[in-house]
Amino acid sequence: MKHLMFPIETARDVHSNLREADLVELAIHRNEGRLASTGALVVETGQHTGRSAQDKYVVRDAESDSQIWWDNSKAMTEEQFDRLYADFVSFAKHKDLFVQDLYAGADLGHRLPCRIVTEYAWHALFIRHLLRRPEPAELAGFAPEFTVVNLPSFRAAPEHIGVRSETVIACNFTKRIVLIGGTSYAGETKKSVFSFLNYLLPLKGVMPMHCSANVGPEGDSAVFFGLSGTGKTTLSADPSRTLLGDDEHGWSEDGVFNFEGGCYAKTIRLSRVAEPEIWDASNRFGTVLENVVLKGPERVPDFDDNKLAENARSAYPLHYIANASSTGRAGHPNNIVMLTADAFGIMPPIAKLTPSQAMYHFLSGYTAKVAGTEKGMGNEPSATFSTCFGAPFMPRHPTVYGNLLRALIAEHKVDCWLVNTGWTGGKFGTGARMPIKATRALLNAALSGNLATQPMRTDPVFGFQVPLSLAGVDAKILTPRDTWADPAAYDKQAQALVDMFTKNFAKFEAHVDADVRAAGPLVGKLAAE
């Protein structure tokens, strides 16, 4: 793959590898944001407060044609990209640009040298927090192998480029460059780097993962997969364990490593009591607060006010977290945890998975949203299936990642767990949220190795193993059917959930081995036999 270098030398002025204090000063001077009372830099992103998924494209060329999962990616021709690139180059000539040369990946053998070119000083500060900062001596010989160019005030011409709107995210994996225009949401830059790593690393036998990870006092690492709202960040932020990272990791021949050098945490209703580490990090100098409301003339961040965005965010370097790993690296995981918030009240609070079941649930990527959390939702919970727990960032076919994960699990004899942080005693509206105390007790027992030795039963709905008891946990919640007032209603809802799983997994059946096909729900299969 040939790296297309963006011509920064033609810009009006270039600010290269400025440090945090310089970037904060420039952002304030350029009216890009305001200082909070805490010293955090507070910015607003306007109409784009999240990713513009419908405006993301992947260039389809001779190399990428057979490599990309096109059912999940919008194609852009080489000619379209060339026109867009020429427009970007022309536009940038009249701008001051901020350049950050950074690494993606803590594994020294697999890290990706990145050049991030931004129009805003605060975007440069954001990505400086989020990626890994080279030592000053490394910058002299730094050779970028991937570039992201982010120009928020650029407006694409839909009729000229052939795109949907004035907003565009164009990924050219062959030329190792991503062009972002028409959006100020900083997460697009971070996710562009992640998407390229998801494309690149499987070719090297490295598993890219949308997950959090931590390490126990004995050096035992754990990986947490989970979609938004399942507790991924909260459960991995354990003060008794060292945080590797909260979002994006790789699994190489040497173990697990963080892609990032920082965190990008949601802040809406952030509480000092519930999440003290994230609270403290969000109230420090240099932290970037995105779409957080400032209260009063004192400019105190109000994390409960969502008038700017429900998806308000805080970006800060990992060293702002007291128990974060300084290396970003750990050994092969002892445990993999897949988190789901089952709002239908069918799944047990924890279950042990075989490698085949782990691949099945990894490809399924299930959770459920509750009524009223999103515009247009009715009174019933809604099932969500996001394959690999991060479908928007997985350019290759999901089975590429699933097969790689299954092989690594088998090779390193990893214990796999499915943890339900959702509902018990009935679906949302009838039952209750799974007690966090019980979830933590079960999770701690799993991570310590104690739970794997406990007596188990086979769940009649999904076929995985569920512990019969654990000291300090109400045994009743370990058998979901027993928590429902009406067992027949449970059976009906269980069949409905199984049907959702089966319908979703149909698209993968032709691509997986028989053992994975057989690892799905048992309801219906047993009746047929």
Side-chain angles (χ1 to χ4, degrees):
M1 286 185 275
K2 184 179 179 182
H3 181 206
L4 177 62
M5 295 287 288
F6 193 78
I8 59 174
E9 65 278 359
T10 63
R12 184 170 60 192
D13 196 5
V14 178
H15 304 276
S16 292
N17 295 311
L18 295 184
R19 305 292 289 267
E20 290 78 359
D22 292 320
L23 290 169
V24 170
E25 281 185 346
L26 278 168
I28 299 297
H29 177 70
R30 290 158 54 92
N31 295 315
E32 294 177 6
R34 297 188 294 160
L35 273 185
S37 59
T38 58
L41 178 65
V42 184
V43 298
E44 296 181 16
T45 63
Q47 64 172 322
H48 295 285
T49 60
R51 293 183 303 104
S52 300
Q54 295 303 310
D55 296 305
K56 181 180 178 181
Y57 302 85
V58 177
V59 175
R60 191 167 194 162
D61 54 31
E63 182 175 309
S64 67
D65 184 49
S66 61
Q67 303 294 314
I68 299 296
W69 180 30
W70 292 110
D71 290 348
N72 193 51
S73 301
K74 296 176 74 171
M76 172 180 279
T77 67
E78 293 176 86
E79 291 75 20
Q80 285 176 290
F81 181 85
D82 290 344
R83 291 197 296 271
L84 181 66
Y85 180 80
D87 287 352
F88 262 67
V89 171
S90 177
F91 184 85
K93 289 179 181 178
H94 307 289
K95 297 292 179 182
D96 292 351
L97 297 179
F98 296 84
V99 176
Q100 289 285 317
D101 291 324
L102 303 161
Y103 289 117
D107 187 310
L108 301 185
H110 297 293
R111 66 185 182 180
L112 178 69
C114 301
R115 171 159 288 175
I116 311 299
V117 181
T118 67
E119 180 184 356
Y120 293 165
W122 81 261
H123 272 188
L125 177 63
F126 166 88
I127 203 63
R128 185 173 175 83
H129 288 337
L130 266 295
L131 293 185
R132 303 190 69 84
R133 297 158 291 281
E135 295 297 326
E138 292 179 293
L139 287 174
F142 194 91
E145 297 177 11
F146 176 69
T147 297
V148 178
V149 183
N150 191 332
L151 307 176
S153 66
F154 175 87
R155 297 291 181 266
E159 67 286 350
H160 172 58
I161 306 299
V163 291
R164 191 184 75 101
S165 74
E166 293 182 334
T167 300
V168 65
I169 301 97
C171 308
N172 192 323
F173 292 145
T174 300
K175 293 184 176 179
R176 292 173 168 249
I177 188 169
V178 176
L179 306 177
I180 303 170
T183 171
S184 294
Y185 177 65
E188 294 287 11
T189 299
K190 164 188 151 78
K191 290 304 183 184
S192 294
V193 176
F194 186 33
S195 295
F196 183 67
L197 287 171
N198 280 348
Y199 177 77
L200 182 69
L201 291 178
L203 295 175
K204 304 168 73 176
V206 177
M207 174 70 189
M209 302 178 292
H210 185 208
C211 68
S212 58
N214 63 25
V215 188
E218 304 301 319
D220 54 303
S221 65
V223 166
F224 299 79
F225 291 104
L227 299 173
S228 180
T230 58
K232 176 166 60 84
T233 299
T234 301
L235 291 173
S236 62
D238 184 339
S240 68
R241 296 172 66 85
T242 300
L243 180 68
L244 210 62
D246 76 335
D247 200 34
E248 297 165 1
H249 294 80
W251 186 356
S252 73
E253 65 277 12
D254 295 321
V256 177
F257 63 97
N258 193 357
F259 285 167
E260 300 181 289
C263 298
Y264 191 35
K266 287 186 177 180
T267 59
I268 198 67
R269 291 173 289 279
L270 177 63
S271 160
R272 172 178 262 162
V273 174
E275 296 178 289
E277 295 88 1
I278 297 174
W279 172 277
D280 289 341
S282 299
N283 285 284
R284 289 187 59 169
F285 172 80
T287 289
V288 177
L289 296 181
E290 202 175 55
N291 298 314
V292 171
V293 174
L294 293 180
K295 186 168 56 179
E298 298 84 6
R299 300 189 197 172
V300 177
D302 185 352
F303 297 118
D304 293 324
D305 192 332
N306 66 349
K307 70 182 178 185
L308 292 177
E310 184 72 20
N311 190 36
R313 295 272 183 163
S314 172
Y316 49 85
L318 264 172
H319 65 258
Y320 279 13
I321 300 291
N323 66 325
S325 166
S326 60
T327 66
R329 301 187 295 272
H332 297 289
N334 299 62
N335 292 277
I336 288 176
V337 180
M338 298 183 188
L339 298 164
T340 183
D342 176 27
F344 297 105
I346 301 302
M347 289 189 162
I350 198 166
K352 192 171 188 300
L353 307 176
T354 66
S356 299
Q357 288 171 335
M359 182 173 175
Y360 181 93
H361 285 279
F362 179 71
L363 291 177
S364 297
Y366 165 71
T367 193
K369 296 177 181 177
V370 297
T373 58
E374 288 190 8
K375 186 178 179 180
M377 285 191 66
N379 296 323
E380 293 296 313
S382 173
T384 297
F385 294 93
S386 184
T387 187
C388 308
F389 295 96
F393 324 115
M394 301 294 173
R396 296 184 182 276
H397 194 276
T399 52
V400 171
Y401 310 104
N403 282 320
L404 190 50
L405 182 67
R406 181 175 62 162
L408 286 165
I409 288 170
E411 179 182 353
H412 299 288
K413 299 179 173 56
V414 184
D415 284 335
C416 298
W417 306 91
L418 186 69
V419 172
N420 174 25
T421 60
W423 272 255
T424 181
K427 64 183 179 181
F428 170 77
T430 303
R433 193 73 191 253
M434 196 72 69
I436 184 66
K437 186 177 179 182
T439 299
R440 285 200 178 277
L442 290 163
L443 184 58
N444 289 340
L447 298 186
S448 70
N450 293 333
L451 198 60
T453 63
Q454 298 298 310
M456 303 266 186
R457 68 175 178 86
T458 300
D459 184 82
V461 178
F462 282 93
F464 38 48
Q465 297 294 292
V466 180
L468 294 172
S469 64
L470 182 72
V473 175
D474 182 359
K476 191 175 182 181
I477 69 168
L478 292 168
T479 307
R481 191 174 189 268
D482 292 349
T483 67
W484 282 53
D486 183 354
Y490 170 88
D491 294 339
K492 182 178 179 181
Q493 186 63 69
Q495 184 61 63
L497 181 58
V498 165
D499 291 344
M500 295 177 209
F501 265 88
T502 303
K503 181 180 179 181
N504 172 73
F505 202 79
K507 59 181 174 285
F508 301 126
E509 288 194 340
H511 303 280
V512 299
D513 295 339
D515 62 311
V516 179
R517 291 195 294 272
L522 292 178
V523 168
K525 293 182 185 177
L526 296 180
E529 293 172 359

